[in-house]
Amino acid sequence: MAQFDVYSTSVQNIIGWIKSGEVAIPEIQRPFVWDSSKVRDLLDSLYKGFPIGYIIVWKNPDVRLKDGTVSIGKKILIDGQQRVTALQAAIAGMEVVDANYRKKRVRIAFNPLTEAFEVCNSAIEKDTKWIPDISKVFESSFEEYRFIGSYCAMNEIVGQENEVSNTIRNLKKVMDINIGITDLNQSLTIDEVTNIFIRINSQGVVLSQADFAMSKISADDKYGGAEIRKMIDYFCHFMKRPADYDMIIENDKEFAKSEALQKIKWVVKEQEDIYVPSYADILRVSFTHKFYRGKIADLVSLLSGRDFETRENFEEIAADSFMKLREGVEAFISETNFKRYLMIVRSTGIIDSSLVRSQNVLNFGYILYLTLRESGMNASVRERLVRKWIVLSMLTGRYSGSAESSFDYDIKRFSETDPVKFVENTEKGELSDAFWNTTLVTRLDTSVSNSPYFLVYLMAQVKNNARGFLSKQIDVQSLIEERGDIHHIFPKKYLQKNGVNNRKDYNQIANYVYTQSEINIKIKDDAPCDYMKPMLEQVSGGALVYGGIIDKDDLRKNLAENCIPEGFEDMDIWNYAIFLEERRVLMAQYIRKYYESLD
């Protein structure tokens, strides 16, 4: 069975499809981003008979209604949105919403004498040789004969009336030009559609399953899909660019009057940068929380009314799925939920986005928070479980790579079994003594500064109010928040001078520490046994050299806070390998105590 049909149809038919609603252009997360010159070039290519590529549409499944009749699914424009929107704007004269959410007209001018297209500007508007807006030519009220006479008279054209007339007719023939259509079979799964899209699309653009889901939501005009899409889209946009609030509300007066706006407008005044979700994150969290499923492909099927047992599509399933999705989105964007979840996130020591490499760790943490909250679990127990699960996920790489299967497995365990027992059993299986004493120590043997193990170590330092290396008052949290630098305990240049030239060796994370720049500058490129001498003299009553620590016990405490092994003050190049081994063990023990303190 063919997975898709390929045929061609005219520009006029395509625009007609859009106007009649037969094909839906989803007002999805990517507005019209072409600049006007690309619209001009598209019209020029069509006029000259050049190919402009295929358009890909995917038919929504037919849905069985309550009365037994069947509702024929619309076609969703999967690829070609920018081209079709450009044609609508230039030929049909419709407004478009640009990347800044402003509604605008794209006016393309045409010169019948030179057959040139140009973006309309003030100079062109004053030049009678140009038609400033070609959409007027395509209007049903356009009177070609009258226009030719007026145009030739204004431009004092004699003897060329036929040429001008032929040119205008050629322009109008753009509506008759055929464009290739790839019509994807409605029985295809979303995975199959994704694969076909990647194979066909010559631009190599990757369309995610979240894109398909947003297209499905946006194209809905029966169950409030468009408003759900706007809640998601505007929430993300306001979080990144709150200054655009007034402009967007001015351009979307219908949404401005809705209750949906009231639910998200709080984020305009929020200055959050730890967890800044994308539309895909909101979709994933909302879906997994409300449907207890992890695969976004299932969301698309459910929104189509899919019954996974009978493999038919029913209206009541679609209606219920849109309702549950909205509930999930509203739970996500709730100011109370969002801020309380972030309090838990910060309580783990995550005080900066740089400490979380995987957004999916925070995504599932929020799923878990919302799920446990909905179950009525005691707040203190809920917070403890979410806090520990976030850190456990980071330590085990639970959601690295493709996380859908893990999301699917975990949400089912949390919803079908005792959450406390599930966390305890996971800890026993994945955070055993062997993990802390061997596995974690081995994983700390890396030069990747954003390794999740090093990030958890920094979180532990933040949680324990650890100070920077050799600092009296400045703590690690302040150094991270002020974008301080990570420095080498055994200075890099010192190691290089002594034959350690492999980056993997001198950039070991066991050789990293947060310290004040002024301390690092004074340390220079000396061996620890050299730069620690004035420090030891300083805590014995000598001159103040760096850091402000003047007490031996305080120095010992500072070194412990930074997992510096005993005897470090006497070490040189010959002790470097031993130093790394000993510090990895100390870091692993430090992380373990931190994790256990999260109870």
Side-chain angles (χ1 to χ4, degrees), residues 207-467:
L207 197 67
S208 71
Q209 294 192 350
D211 289 322
F212 284 118
M214 285 294 274
S215 297
K216 175 67 182 173
I217 295 165
S218 302
D220 171 71
D221 55 9
K222 191 172 184 179
Y223 307 115
E227 189 166 89
I228 295 172
R229 197 283 306 168
K230 287 184 179 182
M231 291 169 68
I232 295 171
D233 193 17
Y234 289 156
F235 183 88
C236 296
H237 192 84
F238 290 156
M239 180 164 278
K240 294 178 181 177
R241 297 176 59 179
D244 288 351
Y245 175 81
D246 291 335
M247 176 189 67
I248 290 174
I249 298 309
E250 175 64 25
N251 289 326
D252 195 343
K253 290 183 170 59
E254 181 181 350
F255 187 76
K257 298 175 184 176
S258 70
E259 290 184 11
L261 173 64
Q262 303 307 313
K263 296 178 185 296
I264 66 173
K265 66 185 298 184
W266 66 268
V267 80
V268 175
K269 297 180 180 179
E270 193 67 18
Q271 295 181 334
E272 174 56 47
D273 60 2
I274 294 176
Y275 182 40
V276 181
S278 66
Y279 72 90
D281 296 325
I282 296 181
L283 268 184
R284 188 173 299 284
V285 172
S286 303
F287 170 61
T288 302
H289 158 225
K290 293 303 294 185
F291 293 81
Y292 304 134
R293 291 172 177 267
K295 298 179 180 179
I296 292 294
D298 288 348
L299 173 59
V300 177
S301 297
L302 287 164
L303 294 177
S304 298
R306 186 71 164 176
D307 184 316
F308 291 106
E309 292 184 5
T310 66
R311 297 187 178 182
E312 289 186 277
N313 297 289
F314 297 93
E315 182 183 23
E316 53 267 35
I317 294 178
D320 182 65
S321 297
F322 270 100
M323 181 186 71
K324 288 172 69 175
L325 177 62
R326 182 174 185 122
E327 290 173 355
V329 171
E330 289 184 352
F332 186 108
I333 64 176
S334 161
E335 181 177 11
T336 299
N337 290 342
F338 197 83
K339 288 185 174 179
R340 287 182 179 173
Y341 173 60
L342 282 174
M343 288 173 60
I344 298 173
V345 172
R346 290 192 182 93
S347 73
T348 66
I350 298 174
I351 43 82
D352 188 87
S353 59
S354 65
L355 295 177
V356 185
R357 192 171 73 170
S358 171
Q359 183 83 338
N360 276 327
V361 166
L362 296 183
N363 285 340
F364 195 86
Y366 200 11
I367 292 168
L368 182 57
Y369 170 81
L370 294 172
T371 302
L372 298 181
R373 183 178 183 277
E374 198 168 83
S375 73
M377 176 180 282
N378 175 273
S380 61
V381 177
R382 178 176 72 231
E383 291 170 10
R384 176 173 62 85
L385 292 184
V386 173
R387 187 163 41 242
K388 296 194 80 174
W389 194 259
I390 288 172
V391 179
L392 181 152
S393 300
M394 293 180 69
L395 285 171
T396 59
R398 196 172 189 88
Y399 304 120
S400 59
S402 179
E404 283 198 339
S405 297
S406 297
F407 273 40
D408 196 67
Y409 175 84
D410 288 342
I411 192 59
K412 284 180 171 60
R413 299 290 84 74
F414 275 113
S415 61
E416 296 171 0
T417 63
D418 179 355
V420 175
K421 289 292 184 183
F422 178 56
V423 173
E424 289 176 352
N425 290 337
T426 304
E427 288 175 332
K428 290 176 183 177
E430 300 187 31
L431 299 182
S432 63
D433 287 341
F435 172 83
W436 296 115
N437 298 331
T438 304
T439 305
L440 181 56
V441 175
T442 301
R443 290 177 179 174
L444 287 166
D445 183 0
T446 178
S447 61
V448 181
S449 61
N450 67 343
S451 156
Y453 316 109
F454 185 59
L455 297 180
V456 173
Y457 167 71
L458 294 178
M459 288 160 53
Q461 286 197 297
V462 170
K463 183 72 173 176
N464 292 327
N465 300 311
R467 295 168 294 172

Side-chain angles (χ1 to χ4, degrees), residues 54-100:
Y54 275 78
I55 289 170
I56 304 177
V57 294
W58 182 28
K59 186 185 175 189
N60 267 321
D62 298 339
V63 177
R64 188 171 299 281
L65 304 179
K66 292 180 181 179
D67 62 4
T69 60
V70 174
S71 173
I72 304 301
K74 290 182 179 180
K75 292 178 180 178
I76 296 178
L77 188 60
I78 296 298
D79 185 39
Q81 178 185 346
Q82 300 298 312
R83 281 168 287 161
V84 172
T85 305
L87 292 175
Q88 283 184 276
I91 294 177
M94 298 171 62
E95 287 186 326
V96 296
V97 178
D98 66 15
N100 294 316

Side-chain angles (χ1 to χ4, degrees), residues 465-475 515-516 519 535 538 544 546-555 557-558 561:
N465 300 311
R467 295 168 294 172
F469 180 57
L470 302 183
S471 292
K472 171 70 175 176
Q473 299 289 345
I474 307 300
D475 58 21
T515 190
Q516 295 169 253
I519 293 176
M535 189 73 226
Q538 179 175 305
L544 193 65
Y546 41 59
I549 296 176
I550 56 174
D551 179 79
K552 289 182 180 178
D553 289 337
D554 196 24
L555 174 60
K557 181 181 177 183
N558 180 276
E561 290 172 5

Side-chain angles (χ1 to χ4, degrees), residues 73-138:
K74 290 182 179 180
K75 292 178 180 178
I76 296 178
L77 188 60
I78 296 298
D79 185 39
Q81 178 185 346
Q82 300 298 312
R83 281 168 287 161
V84 172
T85 305
L87 292 175
Q88 283 184 276
I91 294 177
M94 298 171 62
E95 287 186 326
V96 296
V97 178
D98 66 15
N100 294 316
Y101 294 89
R102 292 187 178 93
K103 289 184 178 179
K104 68 175 186 178
R105 277 290 322 280
V106 179
R107 295 197 301 159
I108 301 301
F110 179 69
N111 188 323
L113 301 177
T114 62
E115 298 182 81
F117 291 89
E118 193 51 79
V119 178
C120 186
N121 55 41
S122 57
I124 285 175
E125 282 190 297
K126 295 174 184 177
D127 191 338
T128 58
K129 292 184 175 63
W130 287 85
I131 301 172
D133 185 354
I134 63 170
S135 69
K136 304 299 181 184
V137 176
F138 297 99

